[in-house]
């Protein structure tokens, strides 16, 4: 997987605090834009399930949504909700060392 660079802008990871009608909520959204290798797209469903299982075991995890570009099926956006930014950052650190996620980072 490579982090996507398009139109000279790079967006690899952003943490967003949810806003509802101007009122801040405590939920943190992690947004990741990435591109898979073309030969990894077909097997990505299984890779995503392994990643979901890992995320569900992490402190503060709420939910994950995966969006796929209709024009370019190698492009994806993950939106992961966390209770706190510390929970999100901790999961990112742990994920880098997690053997079961190797296929995710190599896709």
């Amino acid at each position: 997987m490579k982090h996507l660079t398009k139109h000279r802008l790079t967006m690899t990871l952003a943490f967003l605090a949810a806003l509802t009608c101007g009122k801040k909520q405590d939920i943190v959204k992690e947004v990741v834009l990435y591109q898979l290798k073309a030969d990894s797209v077909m097997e990505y469903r299984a890779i995503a399930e392994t990643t979901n299982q890992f995320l569900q075991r992490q402190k503060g995890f709420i939910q994950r949504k995966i969006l796929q570009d209709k024009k370019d099926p190698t492009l994806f956006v993950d939106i992961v909700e966390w209770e706190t930014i510390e929970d999100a950052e901790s999961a990112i650190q742990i994920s880098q060392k997690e053997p079961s996620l190797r296929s995710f980072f190599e896709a």
Side-chain angles (χ1 to χ4, degrees), residues 83-94:
E83 290 179 8
T84 68
I85 194 153
E86 293 81 13
D87 293 338
E89 290 172 341
S90 174
I92 289 169
Q93 293 301 314
I94 295 168

Side-chain angles (χ1 to χ4, degrees), residues 17-59:
L19 296 174
T20 304
C21 298
K23 295 182 180 180
K24 186 179 177 202
Q25 296 179 340
D26 291 335
I27 294 173
V28 173
K29 294 189 185 231
E30 171 189 357
V31 180
V32 184
L33 176 62
Y34 55 97
Q35 185 171 24
L36 299 180
K37 297 173 191 168
D39 60 350
S40 296
V41 173
M42 295 302 288
E43 62 192 44
Y44 187 64
R45 187 175 303 254
I47 294 169
E49 183 55 35
T50 299
T51 306
N52 288 342
Q53 291 170 6
F54 166 80
L55 290 171
Q56 290 169 358
R57 295 189 309 266
Q58 302 311 301
K59 180 180 180 295

